[in-house]
Each structure stands twice: as C-alpha cells, then as structure tokens.
Amino acid sequence: MLFQNLTIENATEPVDIRVSDGTFAAIAPKLEPQSGEEVMDCTGKMALPPFVESHVHLDTCMTAGIPRWNMSGTLFEGIQCWEEYKPRLTKQDVRDRVSRAIRMQAANGIQYVRTHVDINDPKLTALETILELREEVRDFMDIQIVAFPQYGILSYPKGAELLEEALKMGADAAGAIPHFEFTREYSVDSLNICFRLAQKYGKLIDIHCDEIDDEASRGLETVATRAYETGMRDMVTASHTTAMHSYNNAYVIRLMRILRMSGMNFVANPCVNIHLGGRTDTYPKRRSLTRVKELTAEGINVSFGSDDIFDPWNPLGNANMRDVVFMGLYAGHMLGYDEIMNSCKFVTTNAARTLHLGDAYGIREGNDANFVILDAPNYYDALNNNAAVLRSYRRGKLIASTKPMEKTVLF
Ligand code: 17E
Ligand code: FE2
C-alpha cells in the first residue's frame, strides 16, 4: 500500500510511504504506484509513530464512583476509595474493565502502554489477569507491567515478597512508593529492595516517587543515586516527582547534577497531578507538576502519562494522549512555538525511550509499519484542533480508525 504526501512528524516536506509485508518498505519524496497497489492520498495529513502511554493504572480504570466518589480530590482519598473497591476485584471484573480501556487507547492511536498494577493484594488478582491480557492483545498493543506496591514495600504485610512474586510471575518492571512508606528509613530501604529485586530478575524500574506536596520528600535523590551506582541508568524511571515542584531552588541545583549523571527517565502526569496536587494549600495553590521544562533543558528524558482513566484519582480521563500534552504545556509554561510544535515527543519518542522500545520504534525503512495518521498538517495544528487520529496501523494492518467530526456554521 502506498501513502502519498504524508508529513512525517513535523518534517518540512511531505513524503510517500510504501508499506508492504507489514513493514515500511520505502520512504521517499516520490514513489510511483506499483501495478495493483492500493494508493491513499494523504495531502494535508501527518504521520506519527504510534502514541505511547508511559504511565497509566489499568487495574483501577473505570472504577470512579464505585463504591463512592473521591470528594476531596486528594491522592490519599483516592487510595482509600481504591481500598474500598478492592473487595470487588475478580478476574472477570478486571478483564472487563481493562479490555474496554485498551480499546479506548487503541482508538486514540496508542499502541504501547506501561501500566502500573497494584500488587498489595495477597491474591494478585489484577496482576494475574493483566498478565493474561498482555499476551492476548499482543497483536494490537504492547503492554508493559510495573509491579506497583500501592501501600509500600515495607509498610504493607509481606510487601517485599509480593513484589518478588510479581516479578517472577512476569511483571516487566519493579515499582516502589517511597513517599508513602511509614518512615524515611523505610523509604530508603524500600528503594534498596526495589533495585535489588529488579537486578536479580533483570527487570526495569519505575517508581512512584515523591508524589506529594512535601518539600522534604526526597526519594528522588536516592533513586537517581542508585540508578547511577548500579549502572541501571535509563532502565530506571521516576514517575510523578511532584515534590520537586516544591523543592527550593538551591536544592534542585544540587540535585540536578545527579539527575543528569544518573541517565534516568522521568514521567509527569499533568492532568492528574494538577488535579490531586495543591490540595493542602489555601492560596496560592501549587500546580504540583514536576519541573518538566528544567529537566528537558538539562537533556533529561521526560514523557507524559495520563495516569488514570475514570477512577478514584481522575473522574475524567479518556485515554487520549492529546489532552495530557495540552495540560502539560499549559501547566508547565511551555507554550512557545517550538515547544508546542515538538510537544508530541512527550507522548511518542520520549515515552518510547522510557519504555525501552529501541530502534524498532519510529517511522523508518525496515521497521514494522506501526504508525498513526492525524487529520492535521503538523502537530501544532493537531494539538490545537484536537485532530482526529484518522488511522492507526500496526504491522501494516489497520487496527483503528476515526471519522473526523463535521462542524457546520449557518451564517
Ligand atoms: N496511586 C498512586 O499512588 N498515585 C497515583 N497517581 C495513582 C494511584 C493514580
Ligand atoms: Fe501513577
């Protein structure tokens, strides 16, 4: 199949793309159609590698309001609501909800997902189910699973054993939650356990790190130092790091050095953290977003995640990465022309780096033909006009499509 006049990412000139046998066979300014070849004119449209959701909790999705709503809007009431939901967890329940969420993601052009799954459950019901789903949907979606100890590794009975069991069962990454552990000592020890287990089983690491408006929450310096000292480097990701919003600048200058040296990745979750954060403030109210602009300026890899899809931490959430970018740019003071134009990187290439997708990710000759076509000539317009993801291709096969909305003005 030949796609004509498609602008790849924000390239200045459109190109033709030939897809055959599920791969990008040729990409050039002009390709002649072969006899019998299907041709699609894509003038005025852009192509991106598929969207990458680098941080979501699929196990909790679609549970908002059950058994009750999070009325304070805090992280902690969210955790309490989830605790009250947990007795309802069955494999069928998880399968129904997560299957729906995965299809919402696919409809929005996502083909790669890193999901955190709460493993503070002696039965590991959600983990077991999502491990099965990971295999079942492989042809449509790559799912990476982080074993996430919601209540902590040392502050929950047998937390370390459950983490180890989850990694043995097949989770791809080890998690931790240092700011939620009972003490600072537990916080540091929990990170040591997380790193030890990740190394023992050859897994990645993704930590819920300092997701709190407490300037004294300093899990991050330990994470970065371990990433550096163990040599795990970019296998390590710190998610949220919202306390960094509240750190004093003198401390951040010192911290930035080890962050750079560590080679680790960051994930910000702009919609959810602006919603959950600042809740203990009267006025002014903090934005509680990690320092995306400053980290990016230091050459550190940052991506954006949606965190939640209609659950106790986000009563909205539609599995659309566009909204996450939109919020991130506003809340992070990143609405310069180039910042807007290139912001797709937060949910494509940067996120792919975090997930360790390697060279297989990207629109390049020889790669699997995984890509999306947006109804806009560049990402600036796509973002501003909430452009439809017209088509999502996976190994050359159409797996999702959208008909763009038609608006009529009668004057
Ligand atoms: N759990 C947590 O600790 N933090 C979050 N943002 C979510 C769940 C969604
Ligand atoms: Fe999260």
Side-chain angles (χ1 to χ4, degrees), residues 173-277:
I177 185 163
H179 58 278
F180 204 79
E181 298 281 356
F182 292 144
T183 68
R184 197 183 50 78
E185 289 78 9
Y186 279 10
S187 160
V188 173
D189 288 347
S190 73
L191 292 172
N192 290 336
I193 292 169
C194 175
F195 272 82
R196 181 172 55 74
L197 291 176
Q199 288 186 294
K200 180 172 175 187
Y201 294 98
K203 307 284 184 172
L204 301 166
I205 286 178
D206 193 330
I207 291 164
H208 274 65
C209 193
D210 306 319
E211 190 187 10
I212 188 166
D213 290 326
D214 172 9
E215 70 283 1
S217 183
R218 293 183 172 185
L220 178 56
E221 60 182 26
T222 303
V223 173
T225 303
R226 297 291 178 276
Y228 172 68
E229 290 176 346
T230 58
M232 284 189 71
R233 301 183 57 79
D234 66 349
M235 292 175 74
V236 179
T237 297
S239 285
H240 298 292
T241 59
T242 56
M244 200 201 260
H245 186 93
S246 300
Y247 291 163
N248 67 74
N249 287 340
Y251 174 67
V252 172
I253 290 168
R254 188 268 274 180
L255 177 67
M256 206 57 99
R257 178 167 167 260
I258 181 63
L259 298 186
R260 267 196 320 268
M261 289 163 69
S262 72
M264 62 189 285
N265 308 295
F266 285 76
V267 183
N269 297 285
C271 291
V272 165
N273 283 129
I274 208 154
H275 160 59
L276 299 177

Side-chain angles (χ1 to χ4, degrees), residues 55-57 59-60 75-76 78-79 82 116 118 148-151 176-177 179-180 208 211 240 269 272-273 276 306-309 311-314:
H55 188 120
V56 69
H57 298 250
D59 58 337
T60 63
L75 168 65
F76 299 108
I79 294 172
W82 172 237
H116 299 257
D118 184 4
F148 169 53
Q150 174 67 81
Y151 285 89
I177 185 163
H179 58 278
F180 204 79
H208 274 65
E211 190 187 10
H240 298 292
N269 297 285
V272 165
N273 283 129
L276 299 177
S306 48
D307 209 14
D308 298 284
I309 304 170
D311 72 7
W313 299 276
N314 188 4

